[in-house]
Amino acid sequence: MSTASDPRPLYRDALAWVASLIDEVRPEQMTDPTPCPDYDVRALLGHLVATVDRGRVIGSDGDPLSVPEFLTGVPDDAWRAELERAQAHYRKVWSDDDLLDRPVVAPWGTVPGRAAVLSNLNEALVHGWDLAVATGLPAEPDPVLVEAAFVVARSKIPASVRGGRVPFGAAVEPAPDASPVERLANWSGRDTAAWRR
């Protein structure tokens, strides 16, 4: 099965990028603001891990809203291990190829399994960008990952419908020289220009 039809390797690679960012976050940055106005760096890390857990629950036919929006109570030096734990459980659930074509229930509706994985990919990349720019780290993941996420984002996160079940701010017009991940973040409602250094 190719990555064109199987998004799981793309999501795995996106999480590897996020893990590499987590390794570089300094303790004194945990309370710094991020482009996600409701989250400081610590809460953003908790949300990143929670999205992986929600993806596991979606693949298990559970209620994804039973997973808190963000994980708390994790020591600041244990976020990488917590992400790896969540990812191992996710991979176990999503190891069945048939799940990619089976309908699953996500917070935004019933979708094929592969669409749920691609939504997780989008979460990892946009929130990875949030984490990178908030902490001064390199903010460019593999453009192949970004393009795959953007194809889905444009179709599943319509510009005309935001808020409620579509929990994204209004799309922001990208700068002429915006990078691929900035354009993805713009589509997800981020004003990336405000975070350029």
Side-chain angles (χ1 to χ4, degrees):
M1 193 177 287
S2 70
T3 55
S5 60
D6 182 358
R8 294 171 298 185
L10 300 174
Y11 185 43
R12 179 200 61 220
D13 291 349
L15 289 178
W17 174 64
V18 168
S20 73
L21 297 174
I22 291 173
D23 285 342
E24 301 300 320
V25 176
R26 301 188 307 274
E28 66 269 20
Q29 293 178 310
M30 288 293 177
T31 56
D32 286 354
T34 74
C36 233
D38 295 335
Y39 297 143
D40 62 11
V41 169
R42 184 179 291 114
L44 179 61
L45 292 171
H47 182 64
L48 275 162
V49 175
T51 62
V52 181
D53 274 338
R54 280 190 173 186
R56 170 190 55 81
V57 171
I58 288 169
S60 301
D61 294 325
D63 177 6
L65 297 181
S66 67
V67 178
E69 190 175 339
F70 57 93
L71 193 62
T72 59
V74 176
D76 288 344
D77 62 354
W79 284 111
R80 169 72 179 256
E82 201 61 36
L83 179 65
E84 289 175 352
R85 175 205 58 78
Q87 192 176 1
H89 292 304
Y90 182 98
R91 278 197 308 266
K92 185 175 180 181
V93 167
W94 285 92
S95 62
D96 180 1
D97 292 345
D98 292 340
L99 186 52
L100 293 175
D101 294 311
R102 204 179 80 211
V104 295
V105 179
W108 56 92
T110 301
V111 296
R114 79 183 67 250
V117 176
L118 284 164
S119 293
N120 280 136
L121 172 65
N122 184 70
E123 287 275 332
L125 294 174
V126 173
H127 287 309
W129 177 86
D130 290 334
L131 179 62
V133 299
T135 55
L137 296 170
E140 283 304 315
D142 183 337
V144 170
L145 304 178
V146 177
E147 181 54 34
F150 209 172
V151 167
V152 174
R154 283 190 294 250
S155 65
K156 300 299 181 188
I157 310 171
S160 59
V161 182
R162 299 292 173 105
R165 291 183 70 191
V166 183
F168 296 90
V172 175
E173 182 67 28
D177 62 343
S179 70
V181 76
E182 281 184 289
R183 290 176 183 277
L184 179 64
N186 291 145
W187 189 260
S188 295
R190 303 291 195 278
D191 180 5
T192 58
W195 288 88
R196 286 186 166 192
R197 299 190 188 272

